[in-house]
Amino acid sequence: MRFRFTPVSGAGLVLFCLLLGAVQSYALQLNLTDSKGTCLFAKWEMNFTISYETTNRTLKTVTISEPSNVTYNGSSCGNDRNSTKIVVQFGSAISWEVNFTKEASYYFIDSILLSYNTSDSTTFPGAADKGSVPVNNSLQTVKFPLNNIYRCNSLLIFNTDPVVQRYWHIHLQAFVENGTVSKKEHVCDEDIPVTTVAPIIHTTVPSPTTTPTPTPKVGNYNVTNGNATCLLATMGLQLNITEEKVPFIFNINPATTDFTGKCLPQTAQLRLNNSQIKYLDFIFAVKSENRFYLKGVNVSMYLANGSAFSVSNNNLSFWDAPLGSSYMCNKEQVVSVSRTFQINTFNLKVQPFNVTEGKYSTAQDCSADEDNFLVPIAVGAALAGVLTLVLLAYFIGLKRHHTGYEQF
Ligand SMILES: *[C@@H]1O[C@H](CO)[C@@H](O)[C@H](O)[C@H]1NC(C)=O
Ligand SMILES: *[C@@H]1O[C@H](CO)[C@@H](O)[C@H](O)[C@H]1NC(C)=O
Ligand SMILES: *[C@@H]1O[C@H](CO)[C@@H](O)[C@H](O)[C@H]1NC(C)=O
Ligand SMILES: *[C@@H]1O[C@H](CO)[C@@H](O)[C@H](O)[C@H]1NC(C)=O
Ligand SMILES: *[C@@H]1O[C@H](CO)[C@@H](O)[C@H](O)[C@H]1NC(C)=O
Ligand SMILES: *[C@@H]1O[C@H](CO)[C@@H](O)[C@H](O)[C@H]1NC(C)=O
Ligand SMILES: *[C@@H]1O[C@H](CO)[C@@H](O)[C@H](O)[C@H]1NC(C)=O
Ligand SMILES: *[C@@H]1O[C@H](CO)[C@@H](O)[C@H](O)[C@H]1NC(C)=O
Ligand SMILES: *[C@@H]1O[C@H](CO)[C@@H](O)[C@H](O)[C@H]1NC(C)=O
Ligand SMILES: *[C@@H]1O[C@H](CO)[C@@H](O)[C@H](O)[C@H]1NC(C)=O
């Protein structure tokens, strides 16, 4: 079994260095072989930003991307004794290990274990606590199809406090079958631009087929306080960013999105985050007349080209309902946050306050707003109908009565 490490440099790299705040980085590469040839191939870039406390009680942040001294000891294609894993040592201060589990048609990452040793005073100068710190996270929701090379150029960010892990330019194939890396590429969702094509007016060229963005999957994002659920949210979310002429439409995948939040007496917050969204906050508030509403949205995310996009609006007024009830809207609804950012919601149901026994209370339906107009019309129509019938009956009766009279 052989390991090889090739530092790579190039234009793409320089661009990312700029985007990542001039943090220098090189590609990591691992080509594990067995008797048949290659059994695992991986090429990727990563860095870690670690916060630690110093002896004078201040928080210090270091970003580690030190590939000049990388070793891959312990990496394995998997056998009776070892699981399939990639192990990387950055000098003596950092060790990073990822292991894979194979299923019938795909494999997934069982865990990513990062350990950093704050005793290393060159990497962590002035660290108060010395010793090895493990940070474990799991990525089991991402399915890598077998016999494909997985490619993901987009920046993937995992906030595993106190460490921010960043990965990009990933090419990976574990469980290579016949000794050669596949020619078939599986591109990650983050690399697929989900853009709508602007309509072309008056043209002889056949217009491009505009595939409408599919509706997002509905996710359950519940917040707990102690062991009690204090905020309930069920919704499909689609983000629409119009920084440029062509909007960037992006569906939130609940399976790969984390959520947290806070419940306070007068305000509640729901925060979503995933590899692309640093945070997406929904801020709910109580207003007079014992009602709640969506007061603010705060978002920071990475666009397809790697640059960050942030918007904050704390002066919104959506999803208004009485306290002690929930707000519901099954049809698509638009939450316009700024000139360049809107959220399209699908099958929405939220209750940010007064949740009892973890269940939704009676809902105020958004279609009730329309019903308010429809009810008088319906009642009016019904009354008119009744009146017509009464008059009709009266005249028929009168006529019958009349004719009856004449017969005598
Ligand atoms: C991996 O190494 C093997 C043997 O050295 C070589 O034949 C193969 O081309 C390498 N694969 C890649 C993708 O570099
Ligand atoms: C992967 O590593 C984690 C922690 O190091 C361990 O608990 C788990 O059993 C490993 N999984 C496999 C498939 O080896
Ligand atoms: C690389 O790391 C090893 C230990 O992992 C250390 O002995 C060596 O001095 C390091 N070399 C450089 C250039 O940092
Ligand atoms: C951490 O680093 C110190 C000094 O470099 C070393 O003595 C210690 O054994 C390391 N701890 C671990 C768990 O690797
Ligand atoms: C590997 O080789 C076997 C036997 O030749 C073949 O059946 C199988 O389809 C090959 N797998 C791939 C991914 O090429
Ligand atoms: C959580 O539930 C346990 C058992 O039901 C209870 O003993 C504990 O007090 C609860 N904690 C909070 C913060 O409500
Ligand atoms: C995205 O936003 C733009 C500008 O507000 C709008 O014209 C477009 O219809 C929106 N697209 C979707 C799918 O919501
Ligand atoms: C990325 O795209 C956004 C808008 O889509 C643009 O404002 C920004 O300048 C772009 N960044 C780079 C580095 O190209
Ligand atoms: C939005 O987030 C930023 C950064 O975390 C924060 O400074 C700001 O107060 C937040 N705005 C709202 C409305 O919560
Ligand atoms: C908030 O919105 C209200 C009504 O939409 C407007 O009158 C007020 O000026 C806004 N405040 C800020 C700070 O934008």
Side-chain angles (χ1 to χ4, degrees):
M1 204 163 284
R2 271 182 295 165
F3 310 135
R4 268 207 287 169
F5 165 61
T6 334
V8 179
S9 190
L13 185 71
V14 174
L15 177 68
F16 262 97
C17 291
L18 292 174
L19 294 172
L20 293 171
V23 173
Q24 201 190 14
S25 190
Y26 300 84
L28 299 155
Q29 187 169 323
L30 182 63
N31 180 359
L32 295 180
T33 54
D34 63 10
S35 57
K36 282 192 239 149
T38 300
C39 57
L40 184 151
F41 177 79
K43 190 168 93 175
W44 77 106
E45 296 184 54
M46 65 180 177
N47 75 23
F48 310 110
T49 300
I50 304 175
S51 306
Y52 65 96
E53 206 180 10
T54 60
T55 42
N56 56 12
R57 298 289 147 203
T58 56
L59 215 57
K60 201 167 158 53
T61 304
V62 290
T63 295
I64 289 148
S65 47
E66 193 199 344
S68 60
N69 203 4
V70 167
T71 50
Y72 298 88
N73 300 331
S75 300
S76 156
C77 275
N79 54 36
D80 306 339
R81 276 164 290 118
N82 294 307
S83 63
T84 299
K85 62 187 172 190
I86 302 174
V87 187
V88 178
Q89 296 86 26
F90 278 14
S92 63
I94 310 269
S95 109
W96 178 88
E97 179 175 334
V98 55
N99 62 10
F100 303 96
T101 298
K102 187 171 147 180
E103 296 282 342
S105 62
Y106 64 92
Y107 59 97
F108 61 86
I109 291 176
D110 195 57
S111 87
I112 298 178
L113 179 65
L114 173 74
S115 306
Y116 57 98
N117 188 346
T118 51
S119 305
D120 186 313
S121 54
T122 339
T123 316
F124 302 100
D129 302 315
K130 299 201 186 296
S132 182
V133 184
V135 176
N136 207 334
N137 67 307
S138 136
L139 244 188
Q140 301 187 357
T141 46
V142 182
K143 292 187 166 108
F144 302 91
L146 285 168
N147 305 320
N148 276 257
I149 182 139
Y150 174 86
R151 171 172 74 75
C152 201
N153 284 324
S154 300
L155 178 63
L156 308 179
I157 297 181
F158 301 98
N159 196 340
T160 46
D161 196 40
V163 181
V164 178
Q165 308 184 28
R166 296 188 193 83
Y167 303 94
W168 68 99
H169 288 172
I170 303 167
H171 290 75
L172 168 73
Q173 188 179 358
F175 307 102
V176 176
E177 233 173 63
N178 293 339
T180 29
V181 171
S182 180
K183 298 256 183 303
K184 257 194 294 173
E185 248 187 12
H186 178 82
V187 177
C188 69
D189 290 347
E190 285 78 3
D191 278 4
I192 300 167
V194 195
T195 49
T196 50
V197 179
I200 295 169
I201 307 154
H202 302 305
T203 175
T204 50
V205 184
S207 59
T209 46
T210 50
T211 40
T213 318
T215 54
K217 290 202 184 76
V218 174
N220 282 310
Y221 308 106
N222 298 346
V223 178
T224 53
N225 189 2
N227 1 353
T229 303
C230 61
L231 182 153
L232 293 166
T234 307
M235 52 199 175
L237 294 169
Q238 184 175 73
L239 309 184
N240 179 356
I241 298 158
T242 38
E243 281 273 274
E244 287 184 344
K245 284 194 196 78
V246 178
F248 177 56
I249 316 264
F250 173 81
N251 282 348
I252 295 186
N253 180 0
T256 55
T257 302
D258 279 335
F259 51 95
T260 54
K262 280 198 287 262
C263 297
L264 298 169
Q266 295 293 313
T267 172
Q269 183 210 49
L270 169 65
R271 164 167 290 192
L272 308 189
N273 84 298
N274 62 27
S275 62
Q276 188 152 19
I277 301 168
K278 214 165 135 196
Y279 55 83
L280 169 59
D281 290 351
F282 294 89
I283 299 137
F284 300 90
V286 172
K287 61 179 182 183
S288 51
E289 306 129 34
N290 288 326
R291 296 181 78 84
F292 72 82
Y293 68 111
L294 177 71
K295 185 174 191 297
V297 166
N298 215 357
V299 68
S300 180
M301 62 181 288
Y302 297 93
L303 299 179
N305 65 10
S307 70
F309 171 82
S310 301
V311 161
S312 166
N313 187 341
N314 207 20
N315 193 27
L316 302 175
S317 189
F318 292 98
W319 309 348
D320 186 311
L323 279 175
S325 66
S326 56
Y327 177 85
M328 179 175 146
C329 201
N330 281 328
K331 63 173 186 194
E332 180 180 353
Q333 226 188 1
V334 177
V335 173
S336 181
V337 179
S338 78
R339 202 174 37 79
T340 55
F341 181 66
Q342 72 176 50
I343 304 171
N344 303 328
T345 64
F346 299 81
N347 299 314
L348 170 81
K349 196 166 184 186
V350 284
Q351 186 168 347
F353 300 100
N354 305 44
V355 174
T356 47
E357 289 165 12
K359 291 201 205 79
Y360 282 108
S361 311
T362 25
Q364 165 156 328
D365 200 312
C366 62
S367 58
D369 305 344
E370 289 148 38
D371 289 350
N372 289 344
F373 294 101
L374 290 177
V375 165
I377 296 167
V379 169
L383 280 176
V386 168
L387 196 69
T388 316
L389 280 176
V390 167
L391 285 175
L392 213 66
Y394 174 76
F395 284 117
I396 290 168
L398 201 68
K399 200 167 178 224
R400 276 231 184 103
H401 198 70
H402 218 70
T403 42
Y405 229 93
E406 277 177 350
Q407 271 173 2
F408 277 93

